[in-house]
Every structure is written in structure tokens, then in C-alpha cells.
Amino acid sequence: MSKILVMDIGGSATKTAIIENNEIVDRDKIPTSTQSLEEFVDNIDKVVNKVKPTGIAISIPGLVNSKTGLMKHGGSLSFIKDFNMKTFLQERYKVKIAIENDGKCAALGELYKGKLQGCEDGVVIVIGTGIGGGIIANGKLLKGEHLSAGEFSFVRTNDENPENFRNAWGAKGSSVGLVKRVKLAKGIEGEFDGIDLFKLIEEEDEIAVEAFNSFCKKIAVQIVNIQVILDPKKIIIGGGISAQKILTEKIQAIATELNTIPGMYTPEIIVEQSELGNDANIYGAYYNYIQEEL
């Protein structure tokens, strides 16, 4: 029986899962070393030696050529830039390795087990520290000539100052940024996180609600643009903040309103909340693994 170790590598933590017979049978979490390749690999060694998998599927930040395994860059994992992760791990563990960008894995996960099952054209937007995601076109993952399809963080939102990253979608649509803006506006000292934010929204706090509505509108505007460019059947919202149903409801309402402006034709926009949560990347990495030939 095959035992596939799936690793969803994040900037601070790596979620792991063991999949047998297409189902998750065990889970764990380990720290992600951002200091050096040696420490990074040492953490992987410990998991592999414990699990003894027959194959390894990886979701990883940065631009990666999933066929060759070459990392064009690794986001916060700067030490893996221009490093062939796939070849290195295959030679080290003597098992099949499959690797793909984390946003693209989220899209593959939705295609395999989530809201995009049976969908020929769809988009997944992952809201977190920035804006990640992936695009499904004609039933397949769209990677692009430079492997950058779905890198929504770098969409410019302001033509007067496009060189400033603060005007990029990754800054405007960051859930971390939203929390910081509300904390600053209310003069809150000490700990304040997303749970605290949505508690304020539920209590109809004026500052929190105004910031949230502005945040949702910025996302909705870009969703309208995505709809015009790609014409997907559905747009799925993922990331930790997507657990709050009010988010997708508000984005859908604003997008629908924008869709009714006379003379501004846009196809029907369907925005849905991901039901896979953190498992989207796990299932997507696994789906990428089983789609690849050894």
C-alpha cells in the first residue's frame, strides 16, 4: 500500500499529512526553518525517517517549475532560490517527489476535493499575508509562460503610483494588513488578532465595519476584473480569514452590485467560501503527485 507524505510548507510552520487510499489518515505540524537549507532539510529528515513514506508531495511558496523541480525563488525561504528541490529530495530519500507552488496547490485541491470539482474554469484566491491563488482553465491548472499565473499579490491597483507595493493587491487585500489597520485606528495596545477583529464587526463597531467593508470592496473590484479576463464559473475564497462566512457574503454582494452598473457588462459572478480550509493545499499537493508520472 502506498503511503504518501504530504507537506504544506509555510513561512513559519509546515503542515504534514499522511494519505493512504486517497484519504488523510494522520496529521502533524513542524516548524519551518527559514535560516538555512541545512536546518530546513533537517526538519524534513525527521518527518521522513519517522513516516517512511513511499512518496512525498510538497506545497511550497515561491515560483517553482514542477516538472524540473527548480525553484526560481522561494518567497521567505530565500536559501532555496535557484535550487532544484525535487532532484535534491529524490536523491536523498529515493522516492518519488512532486512539488508545486502553494497557491496553485490550493486551486488543485479545490479541483480535486473542493468547490471546483467538475468545473472546467475556476479561480481560487487565497487571502493571507498577501494574495495568492491559482487558476483552473479547461479543467487544468494554468501555470503561465513564466509560472506566474495566479500570483495575484502583484496586481497593481493604482495607476498613479504603481511602483509602490502599498498599492499592489497583496498589500491592499492582506488580511494581516486589515487587522493592523483596525488596531491602529482604534489605538489598541497589546494583542489584537483576526478573532478580535471579527468580534468587533459582529458588535457593529463603526471603525471595524468601515475598514472591513473597504477591504471587501477592494477584493470585489479585482474579482470583477478577473471575471472579465478569465470568465470563470466560480471564484473560491480561501485562506484563514475565509472561515468567516461574512467575508464571502460581503464580497459577493459588492461584486453583484458592481455588476449592475449600466453599460458595464460583466458575466455572472459567483463567489464561494472554500470548505477545505487548510486542507486545500494538502489535497492539492497530493493531487499534483498522483497526476505526475514517476
Side-chain angles (χ1 to χ4, degrees), residues 115-153:
K115 291 286 189 71
L116 294 183
Q117 289 183 83
C119 185
E120 285 292 303
D121 299 284
V123 173
V124 175
I125 298 172
V126 182
I127 302 172
T129 306
I131 302 283
I135 300 164
I136 302 300
N138 299 318
K140 296 181 180 180
L141 179 67
L142 179 65
K143 299 186 181 184
E145 178 67 25
H146 306 97
L147 308 174
S148 294
E151 293 288 332
F152 299 127
S153 269

Side-chain angles (χ1 to χ4, degrees), residues 5-292:
L5 171 64
V6 185
M7 309 189 76
D8 177 19
I9 299 171
S12 60
T14 295
K15 302 177 187 70
T16 68
I18 298 171
I19 294 185
E20 297 177 356
N21 295 322
N22 299 328
E23 296 296 335
I24 296 174
V25 298
D26 196 14
R27 303 172 185 271
D28 203 352
K29 182 187 287 188
I30 62 172
T32 300
S33 173
T34 59
Q35 300 305 310
S36 69
L37 179 62
E38 290 74 21
E39 289 184 17
F40 177 80
V41 174
D42 184 58
N43 284 344
I44 298 177
D45 279 346
K46 292 173 183 176
V47 178
V48 172
N49 292 335
K50 177 182 176 181
V51 173
K52 294 179 170 50
T54 59
I56 302 173
I58 297 174
S59 163
I60 195 165
L63 291 182
V64 54
N65 186 320
S66 60
K67 289 184 178 180
T68 67
L70 180 66
M71 299 294 308
K72 294 201 170 182
H73 74 73
S76 61
L77 308 177
S78 58
F79 51 81
I80 61 175
K81 183 177 186 290
D82 296 325
F83 179 70
N84 196 307
M85 182 68 70
K86 184 174 183 176
T87 299
F88 175 82
L89 295 180
Q90 279 181 167
E91 292 177 352
R92 191 176 188 86
Y93 304 126
K94 310 304 180 186
V95 298
K96 175 183 172 180
I97 306 290
I99 187 168
E100 185 55 273
N101 164 266
D102 51 6
K104 291 178 174 63
C105 280
L108 287 172
E110 295 292 342
L111 182 65
Y112 177 52
K113 286 274 189 180
K115 291 286 189 71
L116 294 183
Q117 289 183 83
C119 185
E120 285 292 303
D121 299 284
V123 173
V124 175
I125 298 172
V126 182
I127 302 172
T129 306
I131 302 283
I135 300 164
I136 302 300
N138 299 318
K140 296 181 180 180
L141 179 67
L142 179 65
K143 299 186 181 184
E145 178 67 25
H146 306 97
L147 308 174
S148 294
E151 293 288 332
F152 299 127
S153 269
F154 305 108
V155 172
R156 271 60 166 182
T157 64
N158 185 311
D159 63 353
E160 294 179 2
N161 193 12
E163 64 277 4
N164 191 328
F165 185 73
R166 286 181 297 178
N167 290 319
W169 194 14
K172 297 283 189 180
S174 164
S175 58
V176 175
L178 171 63
V179 171
K180 287 181 178 178
R181 285 193 292 275
V182 173
K183 180 181 180 180
L184 181 64
K186 291 190 66 65
I188 296 173
E189 297 183 2
E191 294 295 321
F192 182 78
D193 59 18
I195 294 174
D196 299 318
L197 169 64
F198 279 95
K199 185 177 180 181
L200 287 177
I201 293 170
E202 186 178 337
E203 294 170 352
E204 299 183 351
D205 177 89
E206 185 176 346
I207 291 175
V209 170
E210 182 179 348
F212 176 70
N213 288 344
S214 175
F215 175 81
C216 289
K217 185 171 184 179
K218 288 179 173 63
I219 294 173
V221 167
Q222 297 307 326
I223 281 177
V224 171
N225 291 337
I226 288 172
Q227 188 70 49
V228 171
I229 295 167
L230 297 173
D231 195 20
K233 181 178 181 180
K234 295 179 182 178
I235 296 176
I236 311 301
I237 305 294
I241 194 174
S242 71
Q244 302 290 337
K245 193 174 181 181
I246 187 177
L247 177 77
T248 47
E249 290 176 343
K250 189 66 178 179
I251 292 171
Q252 176 70 78
I254 296 172
T256 299
E257 183 180 354
L258 291 171
N259 216 13
T260 61
I261 298 173
M264 297 284 285
Y265 170 74
T266 309
E268 179 186 15
I269 299 173
I270 299 175
V271 181
E272 294 185 3
Q273 174 188 29
S274 172
E275 293 179 347
L276 293 179
N278 290 330
D279 285 346
N281 286 23
I282 293 289
Y283 278 122
Y286 175 69
Y287 186 61
N288 179 57
Y289 177 95
I290 61 178
Q291 291 296 303
E292 282 192 7

